[in-house]
Amino acid sequence: MIVPDGPISAPLGASITLPCSVSPAFSVVPLKTTWYRPDKFNTHVLLYENRKVQKDPSDAQYRGRVSLVGQLDQGNVSMRLDNLTLADRGEYLCHVQSRVWYEEATVSLVVEVVGSIPVLSASSVDEKQVNVTCMSEGWSPQPTLTWTGGGGESITLYHTVYSTGEQGLVRVSSWLLHSPSESEWLSCSVGLSDQDRREGRVVPYVCTTHKGSTGAVVVGVISALVVLILVVIIVFLYRKGKDRCNGSQHVI
């Protein structure tokens, strides 16, 4: 059997042909051809028997979406699958048999889903470094992630974590420590290939505290407190002296 060496890929919702043919080539018109998922031989995706494709697949999820598109008289039994869903991902077996023999081979299908635009954020670690993070989700299969500096240079020192969420879609998170200048930006791009990469950018900066300014504020606060205390003392002494004066005026 002749099938692709590696997996074949197509976007979500598209149509794809799963190639399969016998070798050496000969007519398989009178033979039985079955396409099925591993461990589901009795629940076929497509069944060609008695010189015709059986009307309905046993597996309900493929009804109305599969067809035999190969030239059977040349040994080609390729199957077309329309309106791809995430559930279609995985392996398919192409099985051809006569009354005395059978041959089969496996074709692997990858359904591609482009995820979200990366979201970047930055937070100061100290007076010289910033922690920059990048997150994107909703990918299939697992995408690649790259960091680029403001001058176009590739950044290699970073950490990346992949996780699988709902419907088997992949989420990728990455972070790095960076020592930026005021005008320097960072780029994080995620994609399955160069054609579908998505990019996010951020201009990180370090939040610094100027010691001189802080000292001036502290001195100002202390001075204000001292002045307030002095005012209270003066008012107190004034009122006390006035009370004594008033008391001495009533003596005969």
Side-chain angles (χ1 to χ4, degrees):
M1 303 291 287
I2 300 176
V3 293
D5 292 333
I8 59 174
S9 304
L12 182 71
S15 298
I16 189 70
T17 296
L18 306 182
C20 181
S21 58
V22 297
S23 179
F26 63 91
S27 175
V28 293
V29 172
L31 305 184
K32 178 181 178 180
T33 296
T34 307
W35 281 90
Y36 66 99
R37 304 299 294 267
D39 302 325
K40 291 185 178 181
F41 181 78
N42 293 324
T43 309
H44 59 266
V45 175
L46 181 146
L47 174 62
Y48 172 86
E49 191 176 25
N50 299 324
R51 297 177 177 266
K52 63 180 180 180
V53 175
Q54 301 304 303
K55 187 174 182 180
D56 291 322
S58 298
D59 196 331
Q61 79 175 67
Y62 295 101
R63 290 177 183 172
R65 299 198 297 127
V66 294
S67 56
L68 200 59
V69 295
Q71 295 177 300
L72 299 181
D73 58 346
Q74 297 179 20
N76 189 326
V77 291
S78 299
M79 179 183 70
R80 177 185 174 92
L81 178 56
D82 297 320
N83 193 23
L84 290 179
T85 69
L86 289 174
D88 296 331
R89 294 175 294 182
E91 295 184 341
Y92 293 78
L93 277 83
C94 169
H95 180 101
V96 178
Q97 74 177 80
S98 70
R99 293 181 180 179
V100 295
W101 61 266
Y102 75 87
E103 293 288 343
E104 67 179 14
T106 301
V107 180
S108 182
L109 172 63
V110 174
V111 178
E112 298 177 341
V113 182
V114 177
S116 63
I117 297 175
V119 176
L120 280 74
S121 62
S123 59
S124 295
V125 175
D126 52 36
E127 294 185 353
K128 295 182 178 180
Q129 288 188 311
V130 173
N131 181 37
V132 186
T133 62
C134 173
M135 190 279 291
S136 180
E137 59 187 355
W139 295 88
S140 177
Q142 179 173 298
T144 59
L145 182 147
T146 57
W147 287 93
T148 306
E153 71 280 4
S154 296
I155 299 174
T156 58
L157 296 178
Y158 58 87
H159 304 275
T160 301
V161 174
Y162 294 92
S163 59
T164 303
E166 296 181 1
Q167 298 182 321
L169 296 177
V170 178
R171 172 177 178 171
V172 56
S173 300
S174 183
W175 66 95
L176 56 82
L177 291 177
H178 189 61
S179 301
S181 65
E182 291 184 358
S183 61
E184 184 180 13
W185 54 263
L186 287 178
S187 165
C188 174
S189 64
V190 183
L192 303 174
S193 66
D194 291 339
Q195 288 72 38
D196 56 28
R197 299 195 74 80
R198 295 200 159 189
E199 180 186 25
R201 292 187 179 187
V202 67
V203 179
Y205 61 91
V206 175
C207 293
T208 57
T209 301
H210 298 290
K211 295 181 180 179
S213 299
T214 302
V217 172
V218 172
V219 171
V221 171
I222 293 175
S223 299
L225 289 174
V226 171
V227 172
L228 179 61
I229 292 172
L230 290 174
V231 170
V232 171
I233 293 173
I234 292 172
V235 171
F236 174 77
L237 293 175
Y238 172 78
R239 289 183 175 179
K240 186 174 182 181
K242 186 176 181 180
D243 290 342
R244 286 181 178 178
C245 182
N246 292 335
S248 61
Q249 292 178 355
H250 288 85
V251 177
I252 300 177

